[in-house]
Amino acid sequence: MDTETKGCACDCAAAVPPPPVSSLWARGGWLLVALPAWVGLYRSLKPLADLLAFRVLGLGPGSRLGEAVAFFAFDGPKVLMLLGLVVLGVSFVQTFISPEATRDLLAKRTGAWSNLLASLLGIATPFCSCSAVPLFIGFVRVGVPLGATFSFLISAPMVNEVALFLLWSLFGWRIALLYTATGVAVAFVSGWLIGLLKMERHLEPWVMEIPYEAAAASSTAMGFAQRLELAVQATWDIVGKVWPYVLGGIAVGAFLHGYVPAELLARFMGKSAWWSVPLAVLIGVPLYANAAGIIPIVQVLLAKGAALGTALAFMMAVAGLSLPETVILRKVLRPTLIATFLGVVTLGIVIVGYLFNFLM
Amino acid sequence: MKIEVLGTGCAKCKLMAERAEDAARGMGLAYTLVKVTEYPDIVARGVMSTPGLVVDGVLKCQGTVPTVAAIQALLR
């Protein structure tokens, strides 16, 4: 263990007792039954939703209410099932990674390279916006450059792996990669600019003055069964927390799907409306939603004629910047730095939106 | 025994406090549970991901919420 870090005597992960029954079943054998069952159910969602909307409820196919209900009954379970599987896989991988390990990787870097690395690590590192302040201080105080710290803080909520896999399964790999690559680019350039501006003096004084001794990363050494158990637990936690937002997003989507004529959105969010990108971003910035909650809305916006760049910019603005996060960061950043952060990122997202509308 | 839960009050921090309480009570320990909610106090412990669990001044865990059984192993 590093001498500069105070010992974390122990470990939450390592303290998880081994499963009581050490049978093959408890050690992950259940996955062999659960995964085919998942696939079977997933494939029969569409006929089941149509059955519910048009037979059980007796709504007319083609009617507005019928289409909206069928959309919700199909998309709701579909997105939740995908989300569950994605979060399980991702949580399993994340038992190998911790924010502390990311911090240690970044502490020794300088220059643009540190911004790039921080933006990329932001994709996979587990991050909860409620930890933004301790994480910020932890990074800055062990010598991660301020710019790289921002690159991480911008990338982590905006380009997370859950968003990546959900976009992939709903829109295909092109859009998923496009979103990820441009999100990383926005985080990279914004953090790099903030670094160039040398804004260290715009931190609140206590950030650098408080006595600080970093605690060591929790150890991530454990067996497959333990990792799986932690992943299942994390999946319950996360899906249990975000499902209302996801269903809310799909309900809005279902309404748009059934009731809003395609031409209307095409007029407001289509390519020809030059002001649609900045407007979508300005609406998206103060809104707060998890990436998983915003994707169902984006799906419908696209289907109804919104331009790809406008829709992606909207999603980035909602997921990446939010009013609550800004209020939290105000505890460590002075107004000038907050304004610079918001300004640079907003501008970056608007540019990405225009770029895609222009290219596609 | 002094159990401290570090966190500003998000859902995970509340869950950690509940589980720590269950764990200590289940073991019949004499304990006091303190919720440390101010940023400077949390940061002073060197914690980077909340919630953190501190037992008698020693940081036991940060960033994840262990099960009640796992917390009992940490309290032993």
Side-chain angles (χ1 to χ4, degrees):
Chain A
M1 190 175 290
D2 282 9
T3 44
E4 65 203 70
T5 51
K6 165 164 74 178
C8 168
C10 61
D11 249 300
C12 9
V16 177
V21 197
S22 66
S23 64
L24 203 61
W25 179 258
R27 293 180 157 275
W30 58 269
L31 276 175
L32 296 177
V33 178
L35 287 178
W38 187 97
V39 173
L41 182 60
Y42 187 79
R43 293 205 160 171
S44 40
L45 282 179
K46 180 76 181 146
L48 283 176
D50 288 347
L51 189 74
L52 176 75
F54 306 129
R55 292 284 168 81
V56 179
L57 295 176
L59 300 165
S63 73
R64 285 179 170 181
L65 185 61
E67 290 301 323
V69 169
F71 180 88
F72 186 80
F74 171 56
D75 239 45
K78 180 176 105 171
V79 174
L80 285 181
M81 282 181 76
L82 279 173
L83 186 68
L85 191 68
V86 166
V87 172
L88 183 68
V90 164
S91 304
F92 184 82
V93 173
Q94 284 186 339
T95 60
F96 292 88
I97 315 167
S98 70
E100 292 76 20
T102 296
R103 171 198 66 194
D104 296 343
L105 268 178
L106 289 172
K108 295 153 196 117
R109 323 274 163 182
T110 49
W113 170 236
S114 71
N115 296 100
L116 184 62
L117 192 64
S119 312
L120 291 171
L121 287 170
I123 303 176
T125 309
F127 171 76
C128 162
S129 60
C130 48
S131 300
V133 164
L135 184 129
F136 184 92
I137 295 175
F139 272 39
V140 173
R141 288 300 293 272
V142 302
V144 177
L146 186 63
T149 305
F150 270 103
S151 284
F152 181 85
L153 273 184
I154 295 162
S155 156
M158 188 159 72
V159 210
N160 62 55
E161 61 306 318
V162 175
L164 173 65
F165 285 105
L166 270 182
L167 283 173
W168 192 329
S169 47
L170 295 174
F171 305 124
W173 61 272
R174 279 170 210 272
I175 291 187
L177 281 187
L178 218 58
Y179 178 84
T180 306
T182 50
V184 167
V186 167
F188 168 60
V189 175
S190 305
W192 180 66
L193 281 176
I194 290 173
L196 283 187
L197 293 171
K198 301 222 181 302
M199 302 195 73
E200 281 78 2
R201 67 178 190 284
H202 295 289
L203 296 175
E204 286 293 340
W206 74 274
V207 172
M208 301 313 277
E209 283 163 5
I210 190 169
Y212 191 79
E213 218 182 329
S218 297
S219 156
T220 48
M222 60 191 126
F224 177 83
Q226 273 182 324
R227 288 188 198 284
L228 188 63
E229 199 181 319
L230 281 175
V232 169
Q233 198 189 319
T235 306
W236 279 121
D237 287 352
I238 295 174
V239 176
K241 202 167 60 186
V242 305
W243 72 266
Y245 298 97
V246 173
L247 287 186
I250 294 166
V252 173
F255 174 79
L256 291 171
H257 182 81
Y259 288 88
V260 176
E263 314 82 66
L264 187 74
L265 269 179
R267 183 136 44 95
F268 283 115
M269 296 186 77
K271 268 188 191 181
S272 54
W274 66 267
W275 39 265
S276 69
V277 173
L279 186 68
V281 171
L282 285 183
I283 293 173
V285 167
L287 288 181
Y288 173 68
N290 191 285
I294 195 71
I295 288 176
I297 296 179
V298 170
Q299 191 181 11
V300 176
L301 292 181
L302 284 177
K304 291 286 182 176
L308 181 63
T310 312
L312 285 185
F314 178 67
M315 178 174 164
M316 276 185 190
V318 173
L321 293 171
S322 73
L323 206 55
E325 199 201 354
T326 312
V327 171
I328 289 176
L329 284 176
R330 176 68 188 86
K331 304 242 183 220
V332 289
L333 310 178
R334 287 201 172 149
T336 322
L337 188 44
I338 291 260
T340 311
F341 161 65
L342 288 177
V344 168
V345 178
T346 305
L347 193 67
I349 295 175
V350 169
I351 292 173
V352 164
Y354 277 126
L355 194 68
F356 280 117
N357 283 351
F358 180 73
L359 291 177
M360 300 252 159
Chain B
M1 178 176 278
K2 188 178 181 193
I3 302 171
E4 290 163 283
V5 174
L6 318 180
T8 48
C10 62
K12 271 164 111 183
C13 311
K14 284 178 194 149
L15 187 65
M16 175 76 104
E18 273 166 32
R19 288 191 182 168
E21 193 114 49
D22 285 352
R25 218 179 274 146
M27 292 165 78
L29 294 173
Y31 70 96
T32 48
L33 189 128
V34 181
K35 291 181 184 173
V36 180
T37 55
E38 292 300 316
Y39 282 124
D41 303 331
I42 296 171
V43 170
R45 306 302 183 96
V47 163
M48 226 174 72
S49 0
T50 54
L53 181 70
V54 174
V55 180
D56 287 335
V58 181
L59 179 64
K60 290 289 186 184
C61 174
Q62 60 170 325
T64 53
V65 184
T67 57
V68 172
I71 295 177
Q72 289 185 335
L74 293 172
L75 294 179
R76 225 161 255 141

